Amino acid sequence: MTPSYVLALDQGTTSSRAVLFDHQGRLCRIAQQEFTQHYPKPGWVEHDANEIWTTQKQVTEQVLRDHGVSARQVVAIGITNQRETTVIWDRTTGEPIANALVWQDKRTAPLCEELRERGLEDQVREKTGLVIDSYFSATKIRWMLDHIDRARERAERGELLFGTMDTWLMWKATGGQRHVTDYTNAGRTMLFDIRELAWDEELLRELDIPAAMLPDVLPCSADFGTWTIDGVDIPIAGVAGDQHAALFGQACFEPGTAKNTYGTGCFMLMNTGEELCYSKNGLISTLAWGPDGKVNYALEGSIFIAGAAVQWLRDGLKLIQSASETEALARQAGEAQEVYVVPAFVGLGAPYWDMYARGAIFGLTRDTGAPELVRATLQSLAYQTRDVLEAMQEDSGLTLQTLKVDGGAVANNYLMQFQADILGVEVERPEVIESTAWGAACLAGMHVGIWSLETIAEVRRVEKRFAPHMDDTARASLYAGWQKAVKRTLGWLHE
């Protein structure tokens, strides 16, 4: 028999990737291309949506070519994507009206303050599960309508369309035939009622956003259209935002199970089942997934800067040439030095939600060098994860026994061991760390009938477990130092 495959498009914040899985769920091939990051002003982050489409198309063609697979062998396509990043384009020409505003972009912080002053916080939290923050898409849409020439006028005439990156890719892949998204991406806009599973008319009015701009919302496993590759119509059958896809790919199907993804940002999600659990500790309540119209919910802690801090070591400070060097350098750091890097380059996410915090380094001495800075940067990922876990356990009433991890940084054994040590819980690394792409592939494969929840759980295998070895006194002392460092960065731009 000719082997069959599921193709996952993993459209991330810094690169577009295509990942090929065979019928048995084995990862066969990955193709990846980085794309340009635009920083027109401090705190502003933009992407060229056309460049993203071009790179995504190229890696799709490349992964099939490199593995010797024809389009006829691909039974379904799943899409997972950087969430909240906002693109608006012309319904007729398909051309974006400006660069996409990336989830990290902070230009709408003043608008968020205005919305809070108008007393909308409780309404936003109750309906969307979110906090009012420039992170989410709604204020980015509003900013583009207010600041781009004739944008509001054109939007009100029905000439403009909004989408997150999944919507943009599907519009392009289907030749403009489908303007759609899924529950998880819609749930990150700050405009979608996650209980009613519908766009909220009241929030649209409050933000002055025309409903005609918004895509149709479908379950995560559904018919999202077809992409014609080499004359073959391949169904796009699964879509989920990157963190939701990773939760699914890690088989966190039971309430209380959790995963942490280490990418550009760092995101911990805990499945809370079919009940919507609101946080009292700065976490987000979010849709986990909805393969068949029945949804699960999750608590989420969003850490804005994780792998991006390692990129800063490479591109900004020139301390390393590649991320793979960080493990050896961290092990060379002096034991007596307690240096803390707080990578609040674009503010702080959960549980602080401070748009005005900025990055800082504490504890520098004359003998601090590259190893100490590299180690402190890696440790900042683990400290931020503990911040989130403490809030998550208090909100849910559950005590985590094992943290499932994925994403590029989990290949770093120093970081994974320190993560286990500072949390005091076991960290579990799967054989296939591409959980995000795998989750998107699973959702697509379920829709076309080749996989089920049972087979997805069976396929997942653990490569290594990291048990905590640090004593309680050392753990408490290190974490107290981190908390002191964070406190000094809060509200920096207001001081």
Side-chain angles (χ1 to χ4, degrees):
M1 285 179 64
T2 305
S4 60
Y5 300 86
V6 175
L7 176 65
L9 311 184
D10 186 355
Q11 200 297 296
T13 307
T14 58
S15 69
S16 296
R17 307 193 313 150
V19 187
L20 198 64
F21 296 92
D22 67 14
H23 201 100
Q24 287 73 43
R26 293 179 295 226
L27 193 157
C28 301
R29 185 80 57 163
I30 299 175
Q32 177 171 347
Q33 277 190 41
E34 291 192 1
F35 51 82
T36 311
Q37 307 292 309
H38 300 271
Y39 307 103
K41 293 184 181 181
W44 291 27
V45 190
E46 298 178 358
H47 291 158
D48 179 338
N50 279 325
E51 184 186 5
I52 285 179
W53 165 246
T54 299
T55 56
Q56 192 66 70
K57 188 170 181 289
Q58 288 172 346
V59 293
T60 297
E61 294 164 351
Q62 181 188 340
V63 80
L64 298 179
R65 183 173 62 248
D66 289 352
H67 202 62
V69 169
S70 76
R72 294 192 182 282
Q73 292 173 265
V74 180
V75 296
I77 294 171
I79 296 177
T80 185
N81 56 289
Q82 53 164 320
R83 304 171 301 172
E84 299 97 16
T85 295
T86 299
V87 59
I88 297 176
W89 66 95
D90 186 288
R91 181 190 293 271
T92 303
T93 67
E95 278 301 304
I97 64 170
N99 277 346
L101 304 192
V102 181
W103 57 272
Q104 299 163 318
D105 189 284
K106 292 296 170 188
R107 76 187 67 183
T108 65
L111 175 55
C112 292
E113 292 283 2
E114 178 192 318
L115 296 175
R116 288 196 196 96
E117 288 168 8
R118 283 164 52 190
L120 292 177
E121 250 182 321
D122 289 344
Q123 183 179 341
V124 166
R125 177 176 291 279
E126 184 182 343
K127 291 181 174 184
T128 71
L130 309 178
V131 297
I132 295 177
D133 194 86
S134 57
Y135 177 30
F136 305 109
S137 309
T139 58
K140 300 180 193 301
I141 301 171
R142 169 69 179 271
W143 190 94
M144 294 175 86
L145 294 179
D146 288 347
H147 290 84
I148 296 170
D149 187 40
R150 296 181 57 241
R152 177 166 297 285
E153 173 191 335
R154 294 170 66 195
E156 288 172 352
R157 288 204 304 258
E159 297 173 11
L160 300 183
L161 300 177
F162 150 75
T164 42
M165 277 302 155
D166 59 306
T167 302
W168 169 246
L169 292 180
M170 288 186 283
W171 172 269
K172 298 294 284 185
T174 63
Q177 296 301 303
R178 299 299 298 274
H179 182 220
V180 290
T181 189
D182 81 296
Y183 290 155
T184 66
N185 279 293
R188 309 295 296 194
T189 60
M190 217 171 81
L191 297 170
F192 190 74
D193 190 319
I194 61 174
R195 297 166 306 175
E196 301 297 327
L197 303 180
W199 298 114
D200 188 79
E201 293 180 7
E202 197 172 348
L203 290 175
L204 288 169
R205 274 197 308 274
E206 291 284 0
L207 279 136
D208 199 12
I209 294 172
M213 299 178 69
L214 305 178
D216 294 332
V217 186
L218 304 178
C220 301
S221 285
D223 175 13
F224 291 92
T226 57
W227 187 0
T228 304
I229 301 176
D230 295 334
V232 179
D233 291 341
I234 306 173
I236 302 170
V239 177
D242 50 11
Q243 306 314 318
H244 315 266
L247 190 71
F248 198 79
Q250 285 274 34
C252 293
F253 301 143
E254 298 299 319
T257 52
K259 69 89 202 172
N260 200 27
T261 297
Y262 301 77
T264 301
C266 203
F267 301 88
M268 183 185 291
L269 272 74
M270 176 184 283
N271 186 340
T272 59
E274 294 181 27
E275 294 298 318
L276 179 55
C277 175
Y278 289 103
S279 172
K280 297 176 183 174
N281 293 286
L283 301 182
I284 289 166
S285 304
T286 192
L287 287 160
W289 54 70
D292 52 6
K294 258 176 55 178
V295 299
N296 271 40
Y297 294 97
L299 282 172
E300 173 176 337
S302 307
I303 297 163
F304 294 153
I305 298 293
V310 179
Q311 283 184 317
W312 167 70
L313 293 175
R314 182 191 70 185
D315 303 335
L317 300 187
K318 313 291 185 187
L319 293 182
I320 56 173
Q321 291 185 316
S322 70
S324 60
E325 299 169 30
T326 58
E327 182 174 341
L329 272 169
R331 295 188 190 282
Q332 293 170 24
E335 287 297 322
Q337 289 206 46
E338 289 189 9
V339 178
Y340 291 90
V341 170
V342 183
F345 304 146
V346 292
L348 287 171
Y352 306 104
W353 292 108
D354 188 337
M355 295 179 285
Y356 301 103
R358 284 299 179 266
I361 305 172
F362 297 95
L364 295 176
T365 59
R366 181 63 185 82
D367 53 348
T368 300
E372 287 75 27
L373 288 177
V374 168
R375 181 181 67 182
T377 302
L378 290 179
Q379 288 178 342
S380 74
L381 277 63
Y383 286 129
Q384 290 178 99
T385 298
R386 175 162 170 182
D387 289 340
V388 171
L389 180 60
E390 295 214 339
M392 198 167 275
Q393 291 185 146
E394 187 174 334
D395 281 333
S396 67
L398 299 167
T399 301
L400 192 69
Q401 301 302 318
T402 300
L403 180 65
K404 299 179 180 183
V405 297
D406 55 69
V410 304
N412 189 310
N413 288 318
Y414 172 82
L415 172 59
M416 291 299 98
Q417 184 58 56
F418 187 76
Q419 184 70 90
D421 285 338
I422 207 66
L423 292 182
V425 302
E426 183 181 75
V427 169
E428 186 179 279
R429 182 169 68 196
E431 281 185 6
V432 177
I433 63 172
E434 301 294 340
S435 299
T436 302
W438 170 235
C442 290
L443 289 164
M446 285 177 62
H447 187 67
V448 298
I450 64 171
W451 293 320
S452 65
L453 289 179
E454 291 72 28
T455 56
I456 292 165
E458 289 168 6
V459 165
R460 184 183 180 277
R461 292 182 177 84
V462 177
E463 182 264 328
K464 187 167 184 178
R465 291 182 172 88
F466 297 84
H469 299 314
M470 187 179 288
D471 66 67
D472 292 344
T473 302
R475 180 182 301 120
S477 174
L478 286 171
Y479 188 58
W482 164 257
Q483 290 176 304
K484 184 165 68 171
V486 169
K487 189 174 181 181
R488 283 171 163 80
T489 71
L490 296 176
W492 178 261
L493 294 186
H494 275 175
E495 292 179 347

